[in-house]
Amino acid sequence: MKTQTRVVVIGGGIAGCSTLYHLTQEGWTDVVLVERNELTSGTTWHSAAQVTNFGMTQTMVGLKSHSIRLYKELAEDPEYPINYHHADGGIRLANTERVMEGYRHFASMAKGMGVDFEVIDGEECARRHPLISTDNLIGGLWDPLDGDIDPAQLCQALARRARKAGAEVYRNTPVIGLTQHQDDSWTVHTTHGDIACEIVVNACGYRVNEVGAMMGVHHPVASMEHQYFLTEEIPAIREAGHRMPLLRCPISDYYCRQEKFGLLVGFYEQGCKTWGMDGIDPNFVNALCPDDLDRVTDVLEGAFARMPALTEVGIHTVVNGPITYTIDGAPLVGPIPGKRNAFCIIGLRAGLGEGGGHGWLLAQQIVHGEACYDTWVIDPRRFTGHANVELTALKAVEDYQNEFRFHFPHEHRPAGRPMKTTPLTPILAAEGAEFGTVNGWERVAYIKPAPDFHETHSFRFTEAFDVVAAEVKAVQEGVGLTEVNGFNRIEITGPGARDWLDRMVCGRIPRNEGKVGLGYLLNHHGMVKAEATLANLDEGTIWYGSAAASVYHDMDWLTAHLPKDGSVRLRSLTNDWTILVLAGPRARDVLQAASRGDWSAAAFPWLSTRRAFVGIAPAVVMSVSFSGELAYEIHVPNASLYAAYLALRRAGEAHGLRLFGSYAVESMRLEKGYLHWKADLVTEFTPFETGLDRFVAMGKPDFTGKPALERMVAAGARRAFVSLVLDCTHAPAHGGDSIIHEGRVVGTVTSAGWGHRIGRNIAMGFVEPGFAAPGTRLSVEVIGAPVAAEVVEGCLYDPENVRVRA
């Protein structure tokens, strides 16, 4: 066994084998995989092994398409062919028009990735799958490339190719410890000796947290017992003359695929069960849980009704094994938060179908620092400290129970809530607030007009439309107040802070005390990495503020680039402070009544900051606006938050102050053309392609990513960021929808919604540069149907920023 290597991948299932293979494809061949037993002896061996193209984001579609291409290539390898039933086709069923509208959206999104789905009616579903009934069935989504694969053969094929490229695989080699050294390298301690390496990858399936504990981290991954059975032969399948398509049924919570001339039928029962919460037997290898078909009786009845042939055939084999889930159902693939040179590829509940793509994207991140797609949707840092064992288990149960039910826009499911709150959460709830969640924080979406008000989540405009319109009007004409909790806030101090930050940001940073500016950080490929509000509070302190979801992401990036001499120090204040946003033409009057000092435009102009008191509460006030109206961000320590809130409410009584929420903020920021991190700001594009030219100072001697950005600029723009107005009133576009010109996809929507101040349906997105000029006529697919659209100037409301300076 080697004693020195570049990367050690721990775990020999699909995650580990895919990562090892793809590392060699990226040019790193001095790599090793260690497995405590035999390859595929964890979850992989008993996987139902379905391989679909369906995903709810373009990144997920892209990685699944890579898996399909790779698996097809492996199956056709004359030296080592594997069993892959490619392109049997698959149907996701629907019994409501709301679900069908979701399928139309997903078909449009996939089209932008070169994937062709088809939305079909109930009769066509039955024609393509002759075993199903059309009772209570409207239609479905057809994936022509759906199929299934032999899991053991797949992993052996990947390991074989990795070995041929120079990688090594050590079976029956349990890892018993991990030691990280001062230079961030690792020693992997195994029962057969130690391996020194630069990088460690946790690919340990349901044993993920056994290895995590060796690093001193906990991963938000829980296991669920999952059952399927294999039937005896069904004559209709043998007589059909073709393989049956795969079936996924959110109506009755089951799936099935052909297995020989019978069916494999799997269940997602409501009375589901977690597994391994109190530890896992070290001898649980190539093992299963006890059968428990009584638990799936309700689901089985629905499957019988949909597929009567199941009532006439016997059960051949029952499989009940653990599968892993994360808090939101998507895997954790990427850097481990707070650790250097440590990555994970875990929580792969659909590991076989997706694993080829996950290993592909992870290998790119390890070797190149980024992948070809923005990988935030699977980034381990999207969850922060709230992701404990109990929350993970609750969300795993909820996600399991809704396996085939996608999230509708603005849908925030109830399990594990509330998780993160502030002193104002119950106060705002008493005021009628409806909450959404952002990185676990309960954040106001809108104020309900009546206690029994209910929003039906949909891809169309909902009952909340008029409620949001009224909130926007109140902000535009008077003054509004909302809470923005969880905002990432890092205090930067030290004698080298400003010069260091200047090198991190691609544009100019505010140098004068009491000034605020917006800055963008690039990765080493010249692409947009992060967006930050930079506030020079005083001579010795800078505040770095960014999206609530970016807490671990941004801290990791900043920490990785700190100077070694200790001249810059970082301290997170995220959980200690909360923002109250006061916005509208009367905002200054309210602030003046609640706080001593001169708050006039002359004394405190736009993009200013100062320490102050709001009532008796200490605060940091910034004159910045995400709404396009005169606005103040009032940052308050949580211990004084209620006091500040009361002071502003009292001061606002004379000015008709009204509460508003995030829906209204979203509407107003779209009108201003302001961008949203990880919707509009992604690592796939440069700041110039993203329309951020004014925030880039190419004349600076140096900044992170500058050499790569210069090369990208010289090569020419690949995409251009645009705003569009849509000629429809029934629904907004949604992120991922295709932008079309003469029947061809030329771009993708990133953000969209109704602009209540201008009365227009707005969408933002990236298009081919030739279609970016204002006045260009295009179409945008809204719920799958083309809608006329026109490219417009980025700022549709007060482009001269008169109102924010008033």
Side-chain angles (χ1 to χ4, degrees):
M1 189 173 74
K2 281 187 174 183
T3 58
Q4 180 85 36
T5 191
R6 195 164 196 177
V7 182
V8 172
V9 179
I10 307 171
I14 180 59
C17 292
S18 178
T19 302
L20 189 75
Y21 164 73
H22 283 100
L23 283 170
T24 65
Q25 293 298 293
E26 296 298 327
W28 284 19
T29 57
D30 181 15
V31 291
V32 162
L33 182 149
V34 293
E35 160 58 40
R36 71 193 304 274
N37 196 263
E38 295 290 342
L39 298 185
T40 78
S41 60
T43 294
T44 299
W45 75 273
H46 62 74
S47 168
Q50 299 166 104
V51 184
T52 175
N53 246 329
F54 179 79
M56 285 179 281
T57 66
Q58 287 195 321
T59 296
M60 294 302 293
V61 172
L63 68 87
K64 291 184 179 189
S65 294
H66 174 83
S67 294
I68 290 172
R69 290 190 299 269
L70 171 63
Y71 298 172
K72 189 170 186 293
E73 178 192 339
L74 292 171
E76 295 171 350
D77 184 345
E79 294 184 7
Y80 193 84
I82 64 175
N83 293 324
Y84 175 29
H85 297 122
H86 172 67
D88 288 346
I91 312 172
R92 292 173 185 269
L93 302 180
N95 65 341
T96 69
E97 185 56 33
R98 289 171 63 240
V99 174
M100 290 294 286
E101 289 178 347
Y103 288 163
R104 293 185 186 101
H105 159 69
F106 292 125
S108 177
M109 179 195 68
K111 187 185 299 183
M113 299 299 289
V115 172
D116 292 322
F117 292 149
E118 186 180 354
V119 179
I120 57 179
D121 63 21
E123 294 299 325
E124 183 62 18
C125 289
R127 191 189 71 77
R128 298 186 187 191
H129 199 308
L131 297 183
I132 68 171
S133 162
T134 58
D135 292 344
N136 189 30
L137 181 65
I138 291 179
L141 182 70
W142 172 260
D143 174 3
L145 297 184
D146 217 335
D148 67 271
I149 197 165
D150 185 298
Q153 290 182 358
L154 170 60
C155 290
Q156 293 290 354
L158 291 169
R160 173 180 174 274
R161 286 195 171 191
R163 287 191 189 101
K164 287 184 69 175
E168 297 195 16
V169 176
Y170 305 135
R171 298 170 296 126
N172 300 303
T173 305
V175 172
I176 56 176
L178 293 168
T179 300
Q180 188 164 29
H181 307 289
Q182 285 191 338
D183 64 354
D184 297 322
S185 67
W186 293 86
T187 297
V188 180
H189 308 283
T190 80
T191 53
H192 294 168
D194 293 348
I195 308 174
C197 61
E198 298 173 25
I199 293 168
V200 169
V201 178
N202 185 342
C204 292
Y206 54 67
R207 295 190 185 274
V208 52
N209 277 310
E210 294 178 11
V211 171
M214 298 176 191
M215 292 187 185
V217 300
H218 169 78
H219 298 285
V221 175
S223 295
M224 302 292 299
E225 287 190 17
H226 176 60
Q227 295 186 92
Y228 63 79
F229 63 62
L230 305 175
T231 73
E232 302 286 359
E233 182 174 312
I234 298 174
I237 294 180
R238 182 181 286 275
E239 296 163 5
H242 62 83
R243 287 184 60 81
M244 289 292 117
L246 287 81
L247 197 72
R248 296 171 182 84
C249 182
I251 306 166
S252 300
D253 298 308
Y254 81 98
Y255 63 89
C256 71
R257 66 167 176 83
Q258 184 171 332
E259 179 69 17
K260 297 183 179 177
F261 288 107
L263 290 174
L264 182 156
V265 187
F267 308 97
Y268 290 96
E269 70 279 7
Q270 296 302 293
C272 54
K273 185 178 179 182
T274 57
W275 179 85
M277 292 287 290
D278 298 315
I280 302 170
D281 185 339
N283 298 313
F284 190 87
V285 175
N286 280 314
L288 294 171
C289 310
D291 301 347
D292 189 5
L293 286 182
D294 289 343
R295 201 169 73 228
V296 301
T297 300
D298 57 334
V299 185
L300 192 56
E301 290 174 354
F304 285 165
R306 181 63 60 202
M307 303 181 73
L310 289 174
T311 65
E312 302 170 3
V313 68
I315 295 174
H316 179 275
T317 303
V318 178
V319 173
N320 184 19
I323 56 176
T324 56
Y325 278 77
T326 65
I327 289 177
D328 63 358
L332 304 177
V333 180
I336 295 175
K339 293 293 179 180
R340 300 290 301 279
N341 292 348
F343 295 81
C344 61
I345 177 168
I346 53 179
L348 276 61
R349 80 183 195 284
L352 263 293
E354 303 174 353
H358 289 310
W360 175 56
L361 295 182
L362 180 61
Q364 292 177 52
Q365 292 179 69
I366 293 171
V367 175
H368 307 297
E370 298 284 359
C372 57
Y373 304 141
D374 188 291
T375 57
W376 182 246
V377 68
I378 55 175
D379 195 303
R381 296 166 297 187
R382 68 187 188 273
F383 305 124
T384 51
H386 65 290
N388 57 40
V389 174
E390 283 71 18
L391 177 63
T392 303
L394 287 172
K395 298 303 285 187
V397 167
E398 182 181 61
D399 202 60
Y400 185 96
Q401 292 170 334
N402 291 278
E403 176 69 25
F404 299 131
R405 298 185 190 96
F406 54 78
H407 279 76
F408 282 90
H410 298 304
E411 181 186 6
H412 300 274
R413 292 175 178 166
R417 295 179 62 188
M419 174 50 61
K420 293 183 184 178
T421 61
T422 73
L424 291 187
T425 305
I427 307 301
L428 294 168
E431 295 269 15
E434 178 71 20
F435 294 93
T437 61
V438 180
N439 191 23
W441 292 93
E442 295 288 328
R443 186 175 291 180
V444 178
Y446 57 87
I447 305 299
K448 293 183 286 189
D452 59 351
F453 179 84
H454 175 73
E455 179 187 12
T456 305
H457 296 298
S458 169
F459 283 87
R460 296 175 177 266
F461 291 120
T462 71
E463 300 91 337
F465 186 91
D466 292 338
V467 177
V468 176
E471 291 182 3
V472 171
K473 184 178 180 181
V475 173
Q476 182 185 22
E477 297 180 355
V479 60
L481 179 67
T482 194
E483 177 191 59
V484 180
N485 49 27
F487 190 72
N488 182 33
R489 183 181 291 98
I490 300 171
E491 182 183 78
I492 305 175
T493 57
R498 282 176 176 76
D499 290 339
W500 169 75
L501 195 58
D502 192 43
R503 293 191 298 273
M504 294 295 296
V505 173
C506 66
R508 304 296 180 190
I509 67 169
R511 290 270 180 180
N512 295 332
E513 186 175 334
K515 289 299 180 182
V516 180
L518 192 61
Y520 291 89
L521 291 76
L522 310 184
N523 61 29
H524 296 291
H525 302 281
M527 310 299 180
V528 177
K529 184 75 172 179
E531 176 191 63
T533 300
L534 306 171
N536 257 341
L537 295 191
D538 50 45
E539 183 61 30
T541 306
I542 303 168
W543 271 12
Y544 174 109
S546 57
S550 71
V551 173
Y552 282 178
H553 174 280
D554 285 13
M555 183 61 87
D556 272 1
W557 184 252
L558 295 175
T559 301
H561 291 84
L562 283 176
K564 302 295 186 184
D565 60 7
S567 61
V568 180
R569 297 179 293 276
L570 308 178
R571 182 167 71 108
S572 176
L573 304 175
T574 300
N575 295 325
D576 302 324
W577 293 67
T578 295
I579 301 172
L580 296 174
V581 173
L582 191 65
R586 299 179 187 170
R588 178 178 287 108
D589 298 329
V590 175
L591 182 59
Q592 188 67 70
S595 177
R596 287 187 296 109
D598 183 355
W599 296 101
S600 66
F604 194 70
W606 185 42
L607 300 180
S608 296
T609 182
R610 72 165 70 148
R611 299 182 190 272
F613 286 88
V614 175
I616 61 171
V620 171
V621 182
M622 300 182 193
S623 178
V624 294
S625 175
F626 203 50
S627 63
E629 306 292 345
L630 174 67
Y632 302 99
E633 285 186 1
I634 303 169
H635 300 244
V636 186
N638 284 339
S640 303
L641 186 62
Y642 184 42
Y645 174 80
L646 289 177
L648 292 169
R649 290 304 300 267
R650 284 193 294 265
E653 288 176 1
H655 302 282
L657 182 144
R658 177 169 176 169
L659 297 177
F660 67 101
S662 62
Y663 284 17
V665 174
E666 179 71 1
S667 171
M668 292 185 283
R669 73 99 180 170
L670 287 168
E671 293 173 314
K672 290 295 292 181
Y674 295 155
L675 310 188
H676 198 289
W677 188 70
K678 292 308 177 190
D680 314 303
L681 300 166
V682 294
T683 57
E684 296 175 32
F685 301 108
T686 71
F688 294 115
E689 292 168 330
T690 313
L692 301 173
D693 307 42
R694 66 191 185 280
F695 295 102
V696 183
M698 294 300 286
K700 288 172 60 172
D702 185 34
F703 56 80
T704 301
K706 183 180 178 182
L709 181 59
E710 289 173 333
R711 291 193 296 270
M712 294 297 294
V713 170
R718 302 160 300 158
R719 286 291 187 272
F721 192 80
V722 297
S723 289
L724 306 105
V725 291
L726 281 53
D727 188 17
C728 74
T729 59
H730 66 286
H734 296 279
D737 281 336
S738 287
I739 302 171
I740 308 291
H741 180 262
E742 296 182 352
R744 185 173 70 86
V745 177
V746 297
T748 298
V749 171
T750 55
S751 293
W754 189 264
H756 287 280
R757 291 175 297 193
I758 65 169
R760 300 300 299 271
N761 201 350
I762 305 169
M764 294 173 162
F766 288 95
V767 298
E768 295 175 10
F771 300 97
T776 303
R777 302 293 297 178
L778 301 167
S779 62
V780 173
E781 292 191 335
V782 177
I783 319 182
V787 168
E790 181 181 346
V791 178
V792 294
E793 297 291 347
C795 183
L796 295 168
Y797 179 77
D798 186 26
E800 301 301 323
N801 281 327
V802 173
R803 296 181 71 88
V804 298
R805 292 186 172 95

